[in-house]
Amino acid sequence: DPSIVGRTVVVDGVERRVAGVMPHGFAFPDAQTALWIPLVLDPAHTASAAFDFRGIARLRDGVAPAAAQRDLQQLLPRVPVVYPGRLTVGAITATHMQAVVQPLRDVIIGGAGRTLWIVLAAVGILLLIACANVANLFLARAEGRHRETAVRRALGASRGALLGDFLAEAVVVATIGAALGLGAAWVALRALQVLAFGASIPRLADVHVDGRVLVVTAGIAAMVAFLVSALPALRAGRASLARMLAGDTRSATSGRGRHAVRRGLVVAQVALALVLLTAAGLLARSFQRLQAVDPGFRAEHAATFRVVLPPAAYRTAADVGQVVDRVLDALRALPGVQAAGAVTRLPLDEEARQDSAVFLEDRPLRPGMMPGIHEIVFVTPGYFRAMGIPVIAGRVFDRPATGADPAQLPRELVVSKAFAERYWKGQDAIGKRIRMNPADPWSTVVGVVGDVHAQGLDQPPTDAVYSPLVTVAPTGSSYAPRQLAFVVRASGAASTLATGARRAVEQVDSSLPLYRVQPLAELLARSLARTTFTLVLLGVAAVMALWIGAMGIYGVLAYLVSLRTREIGVRMALGAQAAEVRALVARQGARDALLGIVAGLAIAVASMRLLSRLLYGVSPVDPVALAGASVALLFTALLASWIPARRAAALDPVEALRAD
């Protein structure tokens, strides 16, 4: 509403005037952002601050991102000088810190680009299969009209005129198909925007069936109409006019060359269908493997929500620690709640992630060596129980006494099993000392907890370091993060916790808004959303390809049976049994299917490596997926061949011999 311009709103205890309203649908840089506030960095108040900002810049023409990255790298050592605090020049040198410049398009699209290209390739393959099928039908129709075509040629019709007639028919078919396709696309798009796995595609909500889609669809329909009509028109123009006028259907329509084209199109359909079936099979097996991965936490009966604590209301780290304890106490008091905890970053969630260099006391770095970079997760003592993360050795943090001075708290850390095995394999990690900054005092490892796949189920367990929510800087000042996620575990369904959680937070501070309130299982499901999205679309494409391929085999065999009616009648009159006739027709369908399967296997083996980044625990040339796709296609081909074969075996020999 533009009328809001000039009004005053209170943000974090500060009155601010609304200067402008962004256009409807604007969702940059974050779809969840509703307010943009001027950013002011005050060097006088940065000693205990942690900055995690993403700069956005428009490069001048001709300036590549790599060149901008080199310039920023040269400026990086000046940051601690201008803004003294936790980041020092020594830390930059010791950690080999690098400036990173990425195109904004890559940041927005992320890993979805490869997924969308694969889906587009699947759609293209399906279009080729459909074109081959329609072309086959047009060939059969054109050959059924060979006498009409011959008369028109004898009366002076040119090849262009014949092509125009075939093209007009193809345009009508393509137009109807395009209209039906647009309707199906509109319905499918709405379904994708509603279904959970559609959230894995960035900006999917902004996609609409608009004028550009109509233009592209019309162009594709016109191209398809031309392709499927050109071949029958050219063949009709080259056929012998004398034989066509004489009605020699066997020479005009039953030649091996003409059969070879139709059968070649069927083989192509089967080969392309096998590629889609193999891709869908690989993703299905990968999805099955991902679902079997233990994430390292128990998602059932747990819910989560996020809260941002405003600095105006909670000025010090002690204030943050106290309000978090009060919220956790209110959550634990809810009926059925078994445990509650707070954390800066949940597994499988990129929000509020913090990485840091980690220095080990018993592993001093040699000159030029780079320390390990690991994720630092700030947690409360009850977090591990609320998440269902087991304690393998030692203990977790103790809850500090109410009103305790953060400076007097013991410097303790908990590490993941993967972290302990990376640095102290075969040793006891308890009692080891580490720190995140060369100037920090050493902190003691008091516990080892189970591994968590924090980056994704398809990624190795995270080498994580867990720190108490309130920490002490070398200067003696304390620090606590203000963007927190709360986890609540209950004995009942997680979906019922939302109302109680809101009420518990309101009891502590009614001004704190909750966001991203969801069962923990939804977070786990969202980590599989992109694989689910690709699997569903490729699965739909594979089923459609299988169906179209079966229709192609059925259509060709049915047409060939109609051409060989007299031959079948002669065979049956000479004593051929119905089973032999059925086998004769079925063998032809099976032979075409086998040729297509062989060709499809070669294409699949060569192309499935493009799926390797989307697969987990499955080889791109997985024999189970290849064999499964081949068996499914062969079975479908035999099923499609059975109806024409049965029809051929049911012919009356007398009527068949009378057929023209």
Side-chain angles (χ1 to χ4, degrees):
D1 183 2
S3 64
I4 197 176
V5 175
R7 296 185 182 180
T8 300
V9 297
V10 179
V11 180
D12 194 15
V14 179
E15 290 189 355
R16 297 183 182 274
R17 184 176 60 86
V18 177
V21 178
M22 301 305 297
H24 178 72
F26 182 82
F28 172 80
D30 187 342
Q32 295 180 346
T33 302
L35 298 174
W36 284 266
I37 300 174
L39 175 63
V40 179
L41 299 180
D42 187 354
H45 297 86
T46 59
S48 62
F51 295 107
D52 185 15
F53 300 135
R54 174 173 292 176
I56 301 172
R58 185 171 297 279
L59 302 180
R60 292 195 305 268
D61 293 340
V63 178
Q69 181 168 309
R70 288 193 298 268
D71 292 342
L72 285 178
Q73 187 64 36
Q74 294 176 358
L75 295 175
L76 190 59
R78 296 180 55 189
V79 174
V81 178
V82 179
Y83 300 105
R86 297 170 64 90
L87 183 63
T88 64
V89 175
I92 292 175
T93 304
T95 59
H96 301 275
M97 189 177 295
Q98 298 289 322
V100 177
V101 176
Q102 291 179 285
L104 183 59
R105 180 185 60 187
D106 295 347
V107 175
I108 295 175
I109 296 177
R114 175 176 290 269
T115 299
L116 294 177
W117 280 113
I118 290 174
V119 172
L120 181 61
V123 172
I125 292 175
L126 190 60
L127 178 63
L128 290 176
I129 295 174
C131 286
N133 202 3
V134 175
N136 236 335
L137 295 176
F138 266 75
L139 280 174
R141 176 173 173 80
E143 290 173 358
R145 298 168 54 189
H146 66 281
R147 291 184 178 177
E148 173 193 338
T149 303
V151 171
R152 294 186 59 190
R153 284 181 56 191
L155 294 176
S158 63
R159 291 183 179 180
L162 295 177
L163 176 60
D165 289 342
F166 284 113
L167 182 59
E169 293 182 359
V171 166
V172 172
V173 173
T175 300
I176 296 175
L180 294 175
L182 284 171
W186 186 87
V187 174
L189 180 59
R190 291 296 177 270
L192 285 178
Q193 291 171 338
V194 172
L195 294 174
F197 57 77
S200 65
I201 303 303
R203 305 191 69 177
L204 182 62
D206 300 331
V207 178
H208 305 284
V209 178
D210 53 15
R212 289 172 295 181
V213 175
L214 295 177
V215 171
V216 172
T217 303
I220 293 176
M223 179 187 67
V224 169
F226 178 79
L227 291 176
V228 301
S229 60
L231 184 58
L234 291 175
R235 291 181 62 178
R238 292 178 180 176
S240 171
L241 183 59
R243 290 180 177 177
M244 293 177 68
L245 288 172
D248 189 356
T249 59
R250 288 173 296 178
S251 62
T253 64
S254 303
R256 290 186 176 181
R258 295 181 180 272
H259 289 336
V261 174
R262 285 193 296 268
R263 292 178 58 191
L265 290 173
V266 170
V267 169
Q269 291 180 60
V270 173
L272 294 175
L274 180 67
V275 174
L276 289 181
L277 279 174
T278 302
L282 288 173
L283 280 176
R285 284 178 55 78
S286 180
F287 186 75
Q288 184 182 26
R289 297 285 179 88
L290 282 173
Q291 285 188 312
V293 172
D294 181 5
F297 60 89
R298 293 186 294 113
E300 65 278 3
H301 305 297
T304 178
F305 60 89
R306 296 198 70 90
V307 169
V308 177
L309 302 176
Y314 306 99
R315 298 180 180 278
T316 67
D319 293 338
V320 172
Q322 290 175 10
V323 73
V324 169
D325 284 342
R326 292 173 58 196
V327 170
L328 290 176
D329 288 340
L331 290 172
R332 295 188 188 102
L334 294 175
V337 171
Q338 298 174 338
V343 63
T344 48
R345 182 207 174 215
L346 288 167
L348 308 175
D349 188 356
E350 283 300 316
E351 185 168 351
R353 173 175 175 171
Q354 298 184 40
D355 291 338
S356 173
V358 175
F359 300 87
L360 283 68
E361 184 182 34
D362 60 343
R363 288 174 174 262
L365 298 176
R366 296 189 300 271
M369 286 184 62
M370 181 177 178
I373 305 296
H374 299 281
E375 182 179 2
I376 310 300
V377 186
F378 295 88
V379 301
T380 62
Y383 167 74
F384 300 104
R385 186 182 173 206
M387 287 291 292
I389 301 175
V391 179
I392 297 176
R395 60 175 176 82
V396 296
F397 314 119
D398 295 325
R399 178 176 178 175
T402 303
D405 183 3
Q408 303 301 319
L409 297 177
R411 303 186 67 88
E412 298 176 339
L413 297 173
V414 172
V415 299
S416 66
K417 179 183 177 182
F419 185 96
E421 290 185 346
R422 175 171 180 173
Y423 293 109
W424 304 301
K425 189 172 185 179
Q427 304 178 42
D428 187 1
I430 307 301
K432 301 293 184 180
R433 301 206 300 174
I434 62 179
R435 60 187 176 187
M436 271 64 79
N437 191 302
D440 285 350
W442 294 104
S443 297
T444 303
V445 175
V446 298
V448 178
V449 296
D451 287 334
V452 174
H453 292 265
Q455 302 303 111
L457 296 180
D458 58 340
Q459 300 297 319
T462 305
D463 303 338
V465 176
Y466 298 93
S467 170
L469 191 66
V470 179
T471 60
V472 182
T475 58
S477 61
S478 56
Y479 161 76
R482 301 178 184 277
Q483 297 185 22
L484 298 172
F486 287 81
V487 183
V488 187
R489 178 168 297 279
S491 56
S495 57
T496 63
L497 290 173
T499 303
R502 293 183 187 277
R503 187 170 60 251
V505 175
E506 288 177 358
Q507 292 175 0
V508 177
D509 187 344
S510 59
S511 66
L512 291 179
L514 280 65
Y515 67 101
R516 297 185 68 176
V517 182
Q518 60 186 333
L520 196 57
E522 285 188 11
L523 192 65
L524 184 60
R526 193 159 56 244
S527 69
L528 297 172
R530 188 161 297 168
T531 302
T532 305
F533 172 85
T534 313
L535 175 60
V536 169
L537 293 191
L538 280 183
V540 171
V543 170
M544 293 181 66
L546 195 64
W547 180 74
I548 295 174
M551 292 300 99
I553 293 175
Y554 166 79
V556 168
L557 289 182
Y559 184 68
L560 291 179
V561 166
S562 68
L563 294 178
R564 300 175 65 180
T565 301
R566 291 176 61 85
E567 175 192 339
I568 293 173
V570 171
R571 288 176 179 269
M572 298 183 71
L574 294 177
Q577 300 298 314
E580 295 174 340
V581 174
R582 284 195 295 268
L584 175 68
V585 178
R587 274 198 305 269
Q588 188 162 354
R591 184 167 57 249
D592 293 343
L594 287 174
L595 288 174
I597 289 172
V598 171
L601 287 174
I603 299 173
V605 170
S607 62
M608 286 303 107
R609 300 189 186 279
L610 298 175
L611 282 175
S612 57
R613 291 189 182 181
L614 299 179
L615 301 179
Y616 174 78
V618 179
S619 169
V621 290
D622 179 61
V624 175
L626 292 171
S630 301
V631 171
L633 263 176
L634 184 59
F635 175 78
T636 304
L638 293 176
L639 190 63
S641 305
W642 179 77
I643 297 177
R646 183 172 177 272
R647 185 178 300 168
L651 287 174
D652 184 349
V654 176
E655 295 297 328
L657 290 174
R658 292 176 180 175
D660 186 2

